Short mmCIF file of all heavy atoms in Angstrom, two decimals:
data_model
loop_
_atom_site.label_atom_id
_atom_site.label_comp_id
_atom_site.label_asym_id
_atom_site.label_seq_id
_atom_site.Cartn_x
_atom_site.Cartn_y
_atom_site.Cartn_z
N GLU I 3 1.38 5.29 1.00
CA GLU I 3 0.94 6.21 2.11
C GLU I 3 0.40 7.51 1.57
O GLU I 3 1.05 8.06 0.67
CB GLU I 3 2.21 6.42 3.05
CG GLU I 3 1.85 7.25 4.20
CD GLU I 3 2.99 7.48 5.04
OE1 GLU I 3 3.27 6.60 5.80
OE2 GLU I 3 3.57 8.63 5.01
N CYS I 4 -0.70 7.90 2.19
CA CYS I 4 -1.27 9.15 1.71
C CYS I 4 -0.55 10.32 2.36
O CYS I 4 -0.16 10.34 3.53
CB CYS I 4 -2.77 9.14 2.39
SG CYS I 4 -3.60 10.84 2.18
N PRO I 5 -0.27 11.38 1.63
CA PRO I 5 0.42 12.55 2.19
C PRO I 5 -0.33 13.37 3.25
O PRO I 5 0.17 14.22 4.11
CB PRO I 5 0.79 13.30 1.02
CG PRO I 5 -0.10 12.97 -0.01
CD PRO I 5 -0.57 11.55 0.27
N TYR I 6 -1.74 13.12 3.22
CA TYR I 6 -2.57 13.76 4.21
C TYR I 6 -2.77 13.03 5.51
O TYR I 6 -2.29 13.56 6.57
CB TYR I 6 -4.03 14.06 3.61
CG TYR I 6 -4.14 15.04 2.48
CD1 TYR I 6 -4.21 14.61 1.17
CD2 TYR I 6 -4.11 16.32 2.69
CE1 TYR I 6 -4.36 15.45 0.17
CE2 TYR I 6 -4.19 17.34 1.63
CZ TYR I 6 -4.24 16.84 0.37
OH TYR I 6 -4.35 17.73 -0.68
N CYS I 7 -3.24 11.83 5.41
CA CYS I 7 -3.64 11.15 6.68
C CYS I 7 -2.57 9.97 7.06
O CYS I 7 -2.73 9.37 8.14
CB CYS I 7 -4.88 10.46 6.39
SG CYS I 7 -4.94 9.07 5.17
N LYS I 8 -1.51 9.76 6.22
CA LYS I 8 -0.46 8.84 6.47
C LYS I 8 -1.03 7.45 6.55
O LYS I 8 -0.21 6.54 7.01
CB LYS I 8 0.26 9.14 7.72
CG LYS I 8 0.83 10.57 7.72
CD LYS I 8 1.85 10.79 6.73
CE LYS I 8 2.40 12.19 6.79
NZ LYS I 8 2.94 12.79 5.55
N ARG I 9 -2.15 7.18 6.06
CA ARG I 9 -2.72 5.73 5.97
C ARG I 9 -2.64 5.31 4.55
O ARG I 9 -2.15 5.98 3.72
CB ARG I 9 -4.20 5.79 6.56
CG ARG I 9 -4.16 6.03 7.96
CD ARG I 9 -5.64 5.88 8.55
NE ARG I 9 -6.38 7.09 8.08
CZ ARG I 9 -7.72 7.33 8.15
NH1 ARG I 9 -8.40 6.33 8.68
NH2 ARG I 9 -8.22 8.41 7.72
N ALA I 10 -3.11 4.11 4.33
CA ALA I 10 -3.08 3.58 2.97
C ALA I 10 -3.91 4.33 1.98
O ALA I 10 -5.11 4.35 2.23
CB ALA I 10 -3.57 2.16 3.00
N ALA I 11 -3.33 4.90 0.94
CA ALA I 11 -3.99 5.72 0.08
C ALA I 11 -4.56 4.92 -1.16
O ALA I 11 -5.66 5.05 -1.71
CB ALA I 11 -3.18 6.79 -0.62
N MET I 12 -3.73 3.86 -1.49
CA MET I 12 -4.10 2.91 -2.70
C MET I 12 -3.06 1.79 -2.70
O MET I 12 -2.09 1.87 -2.10
CB MET I 12 -4.02 3.76 -4.08
CG MET I 12 -2.67 4.20 -4.35
SD MET I 12 -2.62 5.39 -5.77
CE MET I 12 -3.42 6.79 -5.12
N SER I 13 -3.42 0.85 -3.54
CA SER I 13 -2.41 -0.21 -3.78
C SER I 13 -1.26 0.18 -4.66
O SER I 13 -1.36 1.15 -5.40
CB SER I 13 -3.11 -1.41 -4.35
OG SER I 13 -3.54 -1.13 -5.65
N THR I 14 -0.16 -0.55 -4.66
CA THR I 14 0.94 -0.17 -5.50
C THR I 14 0.52 -0.28 -7.05
O THR I 14 1.00 0.31 -7.81
CB THR I 14 2.14 -1.09 -5.24
OG1 THR I 14 1.88 -2.48 -5.23
CG2 THR I 14 2.78 -0.66 -3.85
N TRP I 15 -0.37 -1.28 -7.29
CA TRP I 15 -0.80 -1.52 -8.67
C TRP I 15 -1.63 -0.32 -9.12
O TRP I 15 -1.36 0.13 -10.23
CB TRP I 15 -1.69 -2.76 -8.75
CG TRP I 15 -0.94 -3.97 -8.73
CD1 TRP I 15 -0.89 -4.91 -7.78
CD2 TRP I 15 -0.09 -4.49 -9.77
NE1 TRP I 15 -0.06 -5.99 -8.20
CE2 TRP I 15 0.48 -5.76 -9.37
CE3 TRP I 15 0.23 -4.06 -11.08
CZ2 TRP I 15 1.29 -6.45 -10.21
CZ3 TRP I 15 1.11 -4.87 -11.88
CH2 TRP I 15 1.57 -6.00 -11.42
N ARG I 16 -2.39 0.22 -8.24
CA ARG I 16 -3.15 1.39 -8.64
C ARG I 16 -2.22 2.68 -8.79
O ARG I 16 -2.43 3.49 -9.76
CB ARG I 16 -4.26 1.82 -7.60
CG ARG I 16 -5.20 3.02 -8.07
CD ARG I 16 -6.35 3.17 -7.12
NE ARG I 16 -7.24 4.18 -7.61
CZ ARG I 16 -7.93 4.95 -6.82
NH1 ARG I 16 -8.05 4.64 -5.56
NH2 ARG I 16 -8.68 5.89 -7.42
N LYS I 17 -1.26 2.80 -7.99
CA LYS I 17 -0.22 3.87 -8.13
C LYS I 17 0.59 3.80 -9.37
O LYS I 17 0.93 4.71 -10.03
CB LYS I 17 0.72 3.93 -6.89
CG LYS I 17 1.63 5.13 -7.09
CD LYS I 17 2.66 5.19 -5.89
CE LYS I 17 3.42 6.41 -6.00
NZ LYS I 17 4.81 6.12 -6.48
N ALA I 18 0.85 2.43 -9.79
CA ALA I 18 1.58 2.29 -11.12
C ALA I 18 0.92 2.92 -12.30
O ALA I 18 1.50 3.38 -13.25
CB ALA I 18 1.78 0.84 -11.32
N GLY I 19 -0.45 3.05 -12.29
CA GLY I 19 -1.17 3.65 -13.31
C GLY I 19 -1.43 5.05 -13.08
O GLY I 19 -2.20 5.65 -13.92
N LEU I 20 -0.93 5.61 -12.05
CA LEU I 20 -1.19 7.00 -11.70
C LEU I 20 -0.13 7.93 -12.20
O LEU I 20 0.98 7.79 -11.86
CB LEU I 20 -1.41 7.26 -10.22
CG LEU I 20 -1.68 8.57 -9.70
CD1 LEU I 20 -3.12 8.99 -10.14
CD2 LEU I 20 -1.71 8.50 -8.20
N GLY I 21 -0.39 8.86 -13.16
CA GLY I 21 0.59 9.65 -13.75
C GLY I 21 0.58 11.07 -13.16
O GLY I 21 -0.33 11.33 -12.39
N PRO I 22 1.49 11.90 -13.45
CA PRO I 22 1.57 13.21 -12.88
C PRO I 22 0.43 14.10 -13.27
O PRO I 22 0.21 15.08 -12.66
CB PRO I 22 2.86 13.83 -13.41
CG PRO I 22 3.21 13.01 -14.55
CD PRO I 22 2.62 11.68 -14.41
N GLY I 23 -0.28 13.79 -14.41
CA GLY I 23 -1.39 14.62 -14.82
C GLY I 23 -2.73 13.96 -14.33
O GLY I 23 -3.79 14.53 -14.64
N ARG I 24 -2.71 13.00 -13.46
CA ARG I 24 -3.93 12.39 -13.00
C ARG I 24 -3.99 12.42 -11.53
O ARG I 24 -2.95 12.11 -10.88
CB ARG I 24 -4.03 10.92 -13.50
CG ARG I 24 -5.27 10.22 -13.17
CD ARG I 24 -5.32 8.79 -13.99
NE ARG I 24 -6.36 8.14 -13.42
CZ ARG I 24 -6.30 6.91 -12.83
NH1 ARG I 24 -5.03 6.36 -12.87
NH2 ARG I 24 -7.34 6.27 -12.47
N ALA I 25 -5.11 12.76 -10.89
CA ALA I 25 -5.29 12.71 -9.46
C ALA I 25 -6.41 11.86 -9.08
O ALA I 25 -7.40 11.81 -9.80
CB ALA I 25 -5.53 14.26 -8.99
N VAL I 26 -6.34 11.10 -7.91
CA VAL I 26 -7.43 10.36 -7.37
C VAL I 26 -7.58 10.56 -5.98
O VAL I 26 -6.77 11.28 -5.28
CB VAL I 26 -7.03 8.82 -7.69
CG1 VAL I 26 -6.94 8.49 -9.14
CG2 VAL I 26 -5.81 8.45 -7.00
N ARG I 27 -8.66 10.07 -5.41
CA ARG I 27 -9.04 10.15 -3.97
C ARG I 27 -8.38 9.01 -3.22
O ARG I 27 -8.22 7.89 -3.62
CB ARG I 27 -10.51 10.16 -3.74
CG ARG I 27 -11.21 11.37 -4.35
CD ARG I 27 -12.64 11.43 -3.82
NE ARG I 27 -13.22 12.59 -4.31
CZ ARG I 27 -13.10 13.83 -3.88
NH1 ARG I 27 -12.36 14.04 -2.85
NH2 ARG I 27 -13.76 14.81 -4.44
#
Side-chain angles (χ1 to χ4, degrees):
E3 184 179 281
C4 174
Y6 290 104
C7 68
K8 305 298 183 205
R9 292 182 288 170
M12 66 188 69
S13 69
T14 53
W15 283 107
R16 187 169 180 207
K17 183 178 182 263
L20 183 64
R24 185 169 171 237
V26 296
R27 293 196 179 275

